[in-house]
Amino acid sequence: MTEIPKAYEPKAVEDKWYGQWIEQGCFTADPARVSPSRPAYSIVIPPPNVTGVLTLGHVLNNTIQDILSRKARMDGKEVLWLPGTDHAGIATQTVVERTLKKAGEIRHRDDLGREKFLEKVWQWKTEKGGIIIQQLKKIGASCDWDRERFTMDPAYSRCVQRVFVDLYKKGMIYRGKRMVNWCPVSLTALSDEEVVMKEQKGYMYHFRVEVAELPGTFLTIATTRPETIPADTAVAVNPKDPRYQHLIGKHVIRALPVELPKEDRRIPIVADEHVDFEFGTGVLKVTPAHDKADFEIGLRHGLPVVDILTPDGRMTAESGPELAGLDRFAARKKSAEILEAHGALEKAEPYVNNVGFSERADVPIEPRLSEQWFLKYPSVAAAKTVVSSGRMRFYPDRWSKVYDNWMGGLQDWCISRQLWWGHRVPVWRLKGGQAAFAGIRQSLEAGQFGTDGDTSFSNTPGESTRLRLNSHPVDGQSLEAATDSPEEAVQLEALGFIQDTDVLDTWFSSWLWPFATMGWTGKPETDQQNPWLKAFYPTTDLVTGPDIIFFWVARMIMAGYEYMGAEPFQNVYFTGIIRDKLGRKMSKSLGNSPDPLDLIASYGADALRFGVMRSAPLGQDILFDEQAVELGRNFCNKLWNACRFRQMQNLGDDGVEGEIDPSLLSSDDRWILLRLDQAIREVTRALAEYNFSEATSVLYRFFWSEYCDWFIEASKAALVRPEDVATTSPGNLRAAKNKVAVIDFILGNTLRLFHPFLPFITEELWHGLGYQHDLPADRGGQTIMRATWPKAFSEEEKEYFGLDSTAEQLASAKYGLVSLGRNLKAQANVPSNKRVPFVLRPSGRLDAQEIEVIRLLLNAETLTGVGAEWSPSKGTPVAANELGELYLPLAGLVDYAAERARLTKEIEKAKSEIKKVEDKLGNPSFVQKVPASVLLEHQGRLSEWQAKLRQLETSLADLPARG
RNA sequence: GCGAGGUUAGCUCAGUGGUAGAGCACUUGCUUCACACGCAAGGGGUCGCAGGUUCGAAACCUGCACCUCGCACCA
């Protein structure tokens, strides 16, 4: 800090220190350093999407992780904050495909084929995929970048395969033809969690169908999706519905396609409990191929499944010549028109219903029957108990109920995706009957195949493949082989096996994140020797958003128990969701999401961190306002200038002042030491409770409202300017040096308290003020990151410094009196910079030193101490508290009318306070039942207000009648 | 429909039984020798509504209203 700019300039400071931290390996974790005296602390980052760019959500989330990591380092822990990125199957594939299309390289990914396309994705990932990691560095994230992981790293991929094969062997992963959520844009199945319900405006179409056996008799059916009529294979009524009982077992003539002969459109009327006869007309069209509930009805009644939609949501030829080829939404309109043209449409009423949307592509999903891989969740009981028993803590706790609720209603997880980018399902398949398997039988040493068992295809020790013989109603028999061994895969392919073309849901890889990133292999003998797993698993804290509690958190807990035998983390902190100041979610289309990097450029990274932390209350969504960042910048600037002020107090002996001499401490010194003590306690507790906004408010209050507003100002009474050193008495110089020692003590502690929140500026000031001198390199000498976290005073220390309530009360009373005096000045319209004389009549003994501090804080020309015998001239404005009476003699300048108004107002206030307390004290049951301390406190308050009232009334009476 | 959370100053939020708070915004006055990204003073709230418990309720209980978010879902 040779050159001292007036305002803090973050840019150069941030780049400089981040570079040094990296260079000096400050973020690097080493399991060998973990010991009982240096416990491990670990966090795994929620891996951001590799295609992602930094959002305010990331800033929030990662600032919290950084605060926790930096605090743990200062607590003397060995810290691993493990970073990385997620391959994000659909998102990444979409981004790359779009990019290639834009560049005119392809029209569709099929133009390249799977292999070539994947090469392009990898190329893109290498070139552009690391942006968010670079951005995280800008906010100061202290991740161990040497351990950065990616969910498609070879070692990580191996973990995914191993887990798949293991669950396959356990029978928990199976393949089946089911109704799944199909995304017609991404052309893949989705899990239930990836579908969001949205209200949609549409129409409820009422149309008529004729009962085949009773010509001229019609049934009216209500539907929102008339385009699926050609796929109807029945209509259903409730068996208890008297309106339709007589029709059960008869048939209707399906309305579409009209071109088809009537006899080909006969579909049965079935009775099913599912039908709600209150709803619509009580007659339900049953479309097993395109509706989950209808599919179930179809199963119950043995109905055929007729699929009239292509994977990308267009109508097939079976829907009739007028609809064929149309998009499903166009077909909806068209089919209504056809119905109307044939007189079958009774009405179309506007209707709002909930429709499932693909979260990613933001289009309505189609329920679709298809062959997919499913997982029965493992280790459910353990995962449920660890949270409900309170062994793993959720912050805020209410999320544990949400978790418990979801864990109680688990449905099998659809884990396969019809994509190219991702972990390919490690299952190989050979189709054909027994004849086709004959050759293989010979190549297998153990002839046991066709049953569900392990076989070795290669000679690699320890490798084995699970073989399973499946019978498929259409495809006939197939032999399925699941393996995570590359050697065996080669062998299988040599035998004509073909690998499944699906990839796995991205979450099927990220649920392994806490241990797969630490070198887990799934081989117990190896994993038990793994120093990283031994030192850092289970991790300490997880910080994430509540929106992925099911996607990620719950699944990680289950995987943790299944594969590590222990929970993956001890505490989970759920952040709020960042919204704009109108409470809307941040979104690209609304354009309401500011770029954090722009904010950093304008205000600095520390300012952004502080602003976001300050407006992030525990468990509430955060309404983001750029003003919060501005506040952060102002705060950094305040800190900067307070330290600049310290730098100017150089008393000839360069550098940090030494020990504090307790005998020279003033009441202000003792007061600020106690305020610091309080701040340390409150910040430490707030952090332990993950209450980050509370911690920042305490820091703000302590540093700005207490240290700067009162202590620094008061300290100016004792400080000596460098140019005056020669002419200052030795006693005053000693006092000044002791004052600087107190300032150094406070600032040294303050910088450390602030460091987790404001890493850059605190490091700069730590070195600028020379606080690193005389500290061991690993305890603050090299970096504030490793300085010890401030400790509250022990009783012994409090005694040593004389920190008792007397000192605190005296200082508080002084500041109280100063405020009253400043108020007198303002009421009398004296500009705050104008120095006028004050007179003080103390109620007890008051040192000259203390009087000087009061004078200085009042910015008074003089503050004359007078005895009880002194009396002011009539009408002199006066204010008083327990310390004494403060007069503002204005010799003819008093605005008596204003003074009368002021006094009258004060008197009213005093009277109302007295009445309040008197009412309470006058209540017999209050006096009887209330604790003694509360009674005393009320009595004290009463006499205080009474004394004040007397004084005010005297002043008012003393005012000349006319002013 | 089920569940969770919320309702306190113009705005964003603290405040879990004993004198209603902070920051921002607002008004007024200040180039007071660290800081105008600042200093000082000030105005502003029947704590969503109605009952109840209590000597005493913003806080605890009951009901209601409104807002937000999950989960489920009827074509």
Side-chain angles (χ1 to χ4, degrees):
Chain A
M1 235 159 79
T2 44
E3 186 80 0
I4 315 172
K6 250 178 133 178
Y8 173 56
E9 290 158 10
K11 183 80 183 75
V13 170
E14 290 172 5
D15 292 346
K16 175 181 75 179
W17 284 113
Y18 203 85
Q20 288 201 26
W21 289 330
I22 294 284
E23 206 174 290
Q24 295 169 353
C26 294
F27 306 155
T28 313
D30 182 355
R33 288 195 295 239
V34 173
S35 73
S37 62
R38 191 181 175 84
Y41 177 91
S42 51
I43 295 188
V44 291
I45 204 169
N49 182 336
V50 71
T51 63
V53 289
L54 198 71
T55 64
L56 279 172
H58 293 120
V59 172
L60 169 70
N61 187 292
N62 289 287
T63 298
I64 290 173
Q65 293 174 69
D66 196 47
I67 289 170
L68 292 170
S69 298
R70 288 176 185 270
K71 164 72 164 52
R73 284 190 195 97
M74 295 177 80
D75 284 336
K77 291 177 181 164
E78 182 65 24
V79 173
L80 169 65
W81 179 13
L82 196 154
T85 47
D86 188 301
H87 67 278
I90 299 181
T92 306
Q93 177 165 319
T94 310
V95 166
V96 175
E97 195 169 354
R98 196 186 303 137
T99 310
L100 292 173
K101 276 184 196 163
K102 258 192 188 164
E105 289 192 44
I106 57 166
R107 288 212 312 259
H108 187 270
R109 62 178 189 270
D110 286 336
D111 296 350
L112 281 175
R114 187 167 188 145
E115 298 275 314
K116 283 267 180 336
F117 180 78
L118 287 178
E119 274 172 31
K120 291 278 185 190
V121 183
W122 275 109
Q123 190 188 338
W124 188 91
K125 188 257 170 194
T126 315
E127 285 167 13
K128 306 240 176 81
I131 291 174
I132 196 161
I133 295 294
Q134 296 314 312
Q135 292 176 323
L136 282 173
K137 295 176 181 175
K138 290 279 175 210
I139 66 165
S142 60
C143 301
D144 183 353
W145 299 111
D146 297 343
R147 295 204 62 80
E148 186 185 333
R149 293 291 182 265
F150 177 53
T151 49
M152 295 267 283
D153 286 340
Y156 199 106
S157 298
R158 191 75 196 271
C159 295
V160 174
Q161 290 164 359
R162 187 164 286 268
V163 164
F164 183 98
V165 172
D166 178 72
L167 291 167
Y168 182 93
K169 285 182 179 178
K170 288 172 178 161
M172 304 185 80
I173 285 181
Y174 61 93
R175 196 158 176 257
K177 201 159 192 179
R178 295 272 196 88
M179 288 300 278
V180 294
N181 309 301
W182 181 262
C183 174
V185 167
S186 309
L187 300 179
T188 178
L190 302 172
S191 70
D192 296 342
E193 287 69 33
E194 287 161 289
V195 176
V196 287
M197 301 306 277
K198 287 193 183 185
E199 270 195 356
Q200 283 301 106
K201 281 184 200 156
Y203 291 93
M204 180 65 86
Y205 300 91
H206 291 252
F207 68 98
R208 293 187 309 167
V209 289
E210 190 170 21
V211 179
E213 288 85 351
L214 303 167
T217 304
F218 291 90
L219 283 176
T220 302
I221 302 176
T223 181
T224 53
R225 300 198 63 186
E227 76 278 14
T228 64
I229 293 173
D232 289 351
T233 52
V235 297
V237 296
N238 193 293
K240 295 193 191 97
D241 191 335
R243 290 173 295 179
Y244 306 116
Q245 272 170 350
H246 64 288
L247 297 174
I248 294 166
K250 296 195 166 58
H251 296 76
V252 297
I253 308 299
R254 203 177 59 214
L256 294 173
V258 289
E259 294 77 9
L260 223 55
K262 277 190 177 183
E263 53 272 26
D264 292 348
R265 290 190 268 143
R266 276 169 63 110
I267 52 174
I269 300 169
V270 300
D272 199 283
E273 297 279 353
H274 169 80
V275 180
D276 176 358
F277 46 89
E278 305 273 317
F279 191 91
T281 60
V283 185
L284 173 69
K285 65 194 258 324
V286 182
T287 324
H290 302 296
D291 184 282
K292 265 183 188 175
D294 288 7
F295 181 74
E296 299 296 322
I297 297 174
L299 285 182
R300 287 196 283 276
H301 299 276
L303 301 173
V305 178
V306 178
D307 187 345
I308 53 152
L309 280 172
T310 60
D312 64 346
R314 299 173 118 41
M315 309 300 289
T316 64
E318 280 181 85
S319 59
E322 285 184 274
L323 295 177
L326 287 181
D327 175 79
R328 53 191 169 145
F329 304 110
R332 184 167 308 165
K333 230 177 127 196
K334 183 74 185 171
S335 51
E337 286 165 16
I338 299 171
L339 290 173
E340 178 146 46
H342 289 80
L345 188 67
E346 282 185 357
K347 58 181 174 179
E349 298 176 317
Y351 187 73
V352 174
N353 64 338
N354 282 327
V355 175
F357 272 63
S358 157
E359 197 184 36
R360 185 69 58 181
D362 200 34
V363 292
I365 55 109
E366 281 298 330
R368 186 161 198 260
L369 188 64
S370 70
E371 192 110 46
Q372 302 290 343
W373 291 96
F374 294 91
L375 167 68
K376 287 196 231 298
Y377 285 102
S379 295
V380 175
K384 217 167 172 277
T385 311
V386 69
V387 174
S388 61
S389 70
R391 207 155 73 77
M392 180 189 290
R393 298 283 304 274
F394 281 7
Y395 298 86
D397 181 54
R398 63 189 160 87
W399 293 111
S400 58
K401 284 180 208 157
V402 176
Y403 173 86
D404 203 59
N405 196 274
W406 189 74
M407 290 295 286
L410 289 178
Q411 301 284 317
D412 291 354
W413 174 13
C414 175
I415 54 172
S416 45
R417 298 290 179 273
Q418 287 65 53
L419 303 173
W420 288 349
W421 176 242
H423 300 282
R424 196 160 166 180
V425 172
V427 170
W428 282 255
R429 197 170 295 110
L430 188 64
K431 288 187 180 170
Q434 286 290 336
F437 308 148
I440 295 156
R441 183 173 310 197
Q442 288 159 8
S443 9
L444 294 177
E445 283 187 78
Q448 287 297 320
F449 84 98
T451 60
D452 192 359
D454 284 354
T455 309
S456 181
F457 280 89
S458 65
N459 294 320
T460 316
E463 302 291 6
S464 70
T465 294
R466 165 63 50 132
L467 274 184
R468 192 175 285 171
L469 182 67
N470 290 326
S471 289
H472 193 280
V474 180
D475 302 339
Q477 282 194 320
S478 69
L479 196 54
E480 228 173 61
T483 181
D484 66 306
S485 159
E487 293 84 2
E488 302 225 341
V490 170
Q491 295 286 318
L492 284 165
E493 283 173 10
L495 292 166
F497 280 77
I498 293 166
Q499 187 172 7
D500 195 295
T501 53
D502 286 352
V503 299
L504 294 164
D505 182 2
T506 305
W507 297 106
F508 189 86
S509 59
S510 33
W511 74 326
L512 314 176
W513 188 249
F515 51 88
T517 49
M518 293 190 197
W520 179 81
T521 63
K523 296 172 187 159
E525 62 282 6
T526 314
D527 292 337
Q528 276 159 23
Q529 301 304 312
N530 180 326
W532 293 88
L533 286 173
K534 263 163 61 179
F536 295 113
Y537 191 97
T539 66
T540 318
D541 293 324
L542 178 78
V543 179
T544 190
D547 46 337
I548 53 175
I549 187 167
F550 311 138
F551 280 110
W552 196 46
V553 180
R555 289 165 178 170
M556 273 194 290
I557 298 174
M558 292 187 263
Y561 275 107
E562 188 72 8
Y563 292 104
M564 292 296 296
E567 66 278 13
F569 24 75
Q570 293 154 40
N571 304 292
V572 185
Y573 174 81
F574 289 102
T575 64
I577 291 170
I578 298 224
R579 298 168 181 282
D580 70 6
K581 60 182 165 186
L582 301 175
R584 302 172 303 184
K585 264 193 176 174
M586 297 272 179
S587 80
K588 275 182 200 156
S589 50
L590 277 175
N592 61 348
S593 46
D595 182 345
L597 296 185
D598 290 346
L599 293 169
I600 289 176
S602 312
Y603 301 102
D606 287 330
L608 176 61
R609 292 166 61 114
F610 198 79
V612 168
M613 284 300 98
R614 194 163 193 283
S615 44
L618 185 68
Q620 302 254 74
D621 285 356
I622 297 135
L623 302 192
F624 180 80
D625 189 335
E626 192 165 323
Q627 277 193 339
V629 186
E630 200 177 321
L631 178 104
R633 178 201 56 184
N634 295 353
F635 189 77
C636 290
N637 190 54
K638 189 76 177 175
L639 183 60
W640 180 259
N641 274 290
C643 291
R644 224 177 119 224
F645 175 74
R646 159 62 186 93
Q647 279 244 303
M648 293 173 180
Q649 313 306 318
N650 202 326
L651 300 179
D653 48 355
D654 242 351
V656 184
E657 286 301 328
E659 292 283 297
I660 294 169
D661 179 350
S663 70
L664 295 175
L665 289 177
S666 70
S667 59
D668 306 291
D669 298 331
R670 296 197 163 101
W671 177 82
I672 197 62
L673 288 169
L674 279 166
R675 303 316 301 149
L676 172 68
D677 180 72
Q678 179 74 16
I680 294 171
R681 286 173 205 276
E682 289 183 18
V683 172
T684 306
R685 182 175 41 80
L687 284 180
E689 291 166 357
Y690 303 88
N691 199 337
F692 302 96
S693 65
E694 161 83 4
T696 52
S697 324
V698 171
L699 289 167
Y700 191 98
R701 182 203 70 210
F702 165 71
F703 194 72
W704 200 309
S705 308
E706 293 169 356
Y707 178 75
C708 290
D709 287 353
W710 291 111
F711 180 75
I712 288 204
E713 294 307 321
S715 76
K716 290 175 182 172
L719 289 170
V720 175
R721 295 184 199 177
E723 63 268 26
D724 297 336
V725 168
T727 57
T728 304
S729 74
N732 285 353
L733 205 54
R734 266 207 311 283
K737 289 195 171 190
N738 205 53
K739 185 68 72 182
V740 175
V742 172
I743 291 177
D744 281 335
F745 182 86
I746 300 287
L747 288 180
N749 275 277
T750 303
L751 290 177
R752 285 181 285 144
L753 277 182
F754 276 121
H755 176 70
F757 299 86
L758 311 172
F760 296 109
I761 190 174
T762 51
E763 185 80 284
E764 175 73 6
L765 291 167
W766 182 253
H767 291 266
L769 292 170
Y771 292 158
Q772 87 284 11
H773 287 317
D774 304 329
L775 288 174
D778 62 345
R779 295 277 64 184
Q782 187 187 41
T783 163
I784 192 174
M785 280 180 65
R786 287 242 164 252
T788 53
W789 182 252
K791 278 190 199 58
F793 291 122
S794 64
E795 285 312 307
E796 291 72 28
E797 287 167 321
K798 281 191 174 174
E799 201 170 315
Y800 176 75
F801 289 121
L803 307 182
D804 52 31
S805 57
T806 332
E808 195 173 22
Q809 279 163 14
L810 174 57
S812 300
K814 272 194 307 190
Y815 307 148
L817 195 61
V818 168
S819 288
L820 292 170
R822 287 169 175 171
N823 178 249
L824 287 184
K825 233 174 119 172
Q827 295 288 340
N829 283 318
V830 180
S832 62
N833 64 328
K834 171 143 174 134
R835 296 190 160 192
V836 290
F838 275 87
V839 174
L840 175 64
R841 185 159 66 188
S843 52
R845 236 194 66 77
L846 207 55
D847 289 349
Q849 244 185 32
E850 307 285 15
I851 293 178
E852 174 55 14
V853 168
I854 296 171
R855 185 200 67 75
L856 188 107
L857 292 172
L858 279 170
N859 194 27
E861 186 178 34
T862 56
L863 179 62
T864 316
V866 294
E869 71 292 345
W870 184 82
S871 67
S873 63
K874 295 249 171 193
T876 305
V878 59
N881 73 358
E882 65 268 37
L883 217 53
E885 291 162 347
L886 186 64
Y887 293 90
L888 178 59
L890 283 169
L893 294 176
V894 182
D895 176 345
Y896 292 111
E899 180 66 359
R900 185 172 296 114
R902 177 183 79 90
L903 289 170
T904 309
K905 196 180 158 193
E906 290 277 304
I907 285 168
E908 272 167 31
K909 164 83 176 160
K911 281 183 174 166
S912 99
E913 289 300 322
I914 287 168
K915 174 149 184 4
K916 269 199 247 174
V917 186
E918 273 179 347
D919 282 354
K920 280 195 174 183
L921 289 170
N923 183 342
S925 46
F926 175 80
V927 183
Q928 275 169 23
K929 294 185 182 174
V930 92
S933 62
V934 174
L935 188 61
L936 260 172
E937 186 258 321
H938 277 77
Q939 286 163 341
R941 202 192 310 158
L942 180 62
S943 52
E944 266 173 44
W945 278 111
Q946 283 169 337
K948 182 155 188 174
L949 179 62
R950 276 195 299 276
Q951 187 251 321
L952 288 164
E953 280 175 334
T954 309
S955 298
L956 186 63
D958 282 351
L959 273 188
R962 293 237 165 269

Coordinates of all heavy atoms in Angstrom, one line a residue, chain A residues 772 774-784 786-787:
Chain A
Q772 N 0.8 -9.1 8.5 CA 1.4 -10.5 8.3 C 2.7 -10.6 9.0 O 3.2 -11.7 9.2 CB 1.4 -10.8 6.8 CG 2.7 -10.4 6.1 CD 2.7 -8.9 5.8 OE1 1.9 -8.1 6.3 NE2 3.7 -8.4 5.0
D774 N 5.7 -11.0 11.5 CA 5.8 -11.7 12.8 C 4.9 -12.8 13.0 O 4.7 -13.4 14.0 CB 5.6 -10.7 14.0 CG 6.6 -9.6 14.0 OD1 7.7 -9.7 13.4 OD2 6.2 -8.5 14.4
L775 N 4.1 -13.2 11.9 CA 3.3 -14.4 12.0 C 3.9 -15.5 11.3 O 4.6 -15.3 10.2 CB 1.9 -14.1 11.4 CG 1.0 -13.2 12.2 CD1 -0.3 -12.9 11.4 CD2 0.6 -13.7 13.5
P776 N 3.8 -16.7 11.8 CA 4.3 -17.9 11.0 C 3.7 -17.9 9.6 O 2.5 -17.6 9.5 CB 3.9 -19.1 11.8 CG 3.4 -18.6 13.1 CD 3.0 -17.1 13.0
A777 N 4.4 -18.4 8.6 CA 3.9 -18.4 7.3 C 2.6 -19.1 7.1 O 1.7 -18.6 6.4 CB 5.0 -19.0 6.4
D778 N 2.4 -20.2 7.9 CA 1.2 -21.0 7.7 C 0.1 -20.5 8.7 O -0.9 -21.1 8.8 CB 1.5 -22.5 7.9 CG 2.0 -22.8 9.3 OD1 2.4 -21.8 10.0 OD2 2.0 -23.9 9.7
R779 N 0.3 -19.4 9.4 CA -0.7 -18.9 10.3 C -0.9 -17.4 10.0 O -1.1 -16.6 11.0 CB -0.3 -19.2 11.8 CG -0.3 -20.6 12.2 CD -1.7 -21.2 12.5 NE -2.6 -21.2 11.3 CZ -3.8 -21.6 11.4 NH1 -4.4 -22.0 12.5 NH2 -4.6 -21.6 10.3
G780 N -0.9 -17.0 8.8 CA -1.2 -15.6 8.5 C 0.0 -14.8 7.9 O -0.2 -13.7 7.4
G781 N 1.2 -15.4 8.1 CA 2.4 -14.7 7.6 C 2.4 -14.6 6.1 O 2.8 -13.6 5.5
Q782 N 1.9 -15.6 5.4 CA 1.9 -15.7 4.0 C 0.6 -15.1 3.4 O 0.6 -14.4 2.4 CB 2.1 -17.1 3.5 CG 2.3 -17.3 2.0 CD 2.3 -18.7 1.6 OE1 1.5 -19.5 2.1 NE2 3.2 -19.1 0.8
T783 N -0.5 -15.5 4.0 CA -1.8 -15.1 3.5 C -2.8 -15.0 4.6 O -2.7 -15.9 5.6 CB -2.3 -16.0 2.4 OG1 -3.7 -15.8 2.2 CG2 -2.1 -17.5 2.7
I784 N -3.7 -14.1 4.5 CA -4.7 -14.0 5.6 C -5.6 -15.2 5.6 O -6.3 -15.6 6.6 CB -5.5 -12.7 5.4 CG1 -6.4 -12.4 6.6 CG2 -6.4 -12.8 4.1 CD1 -7.1 -11.1 6.6
R786 N -4.8 -18.1 5.9 CA -4.4 -19.1 6.9 C -4.3 -18.5 8.3 O -3.8 -19.1 9.2 CB -3.2 -19.8 6.5 CG -3.4 -20.8 5.4 CD -3.0 -22.2 5.8 NE -3.5 -23.2 4.9 CZ -4.6 -24.0 5.2 NH1 -5.1 -24.0 6.4 NH2 -5.0 -24.9 4.4
A787 N -4.6 -17.2 8.4 CA -4.6 -16.6 9.7 C -5.7 -17.2 10.6 O -6.6 -17.7 10.1 CB -4.8 -15.1 9.6

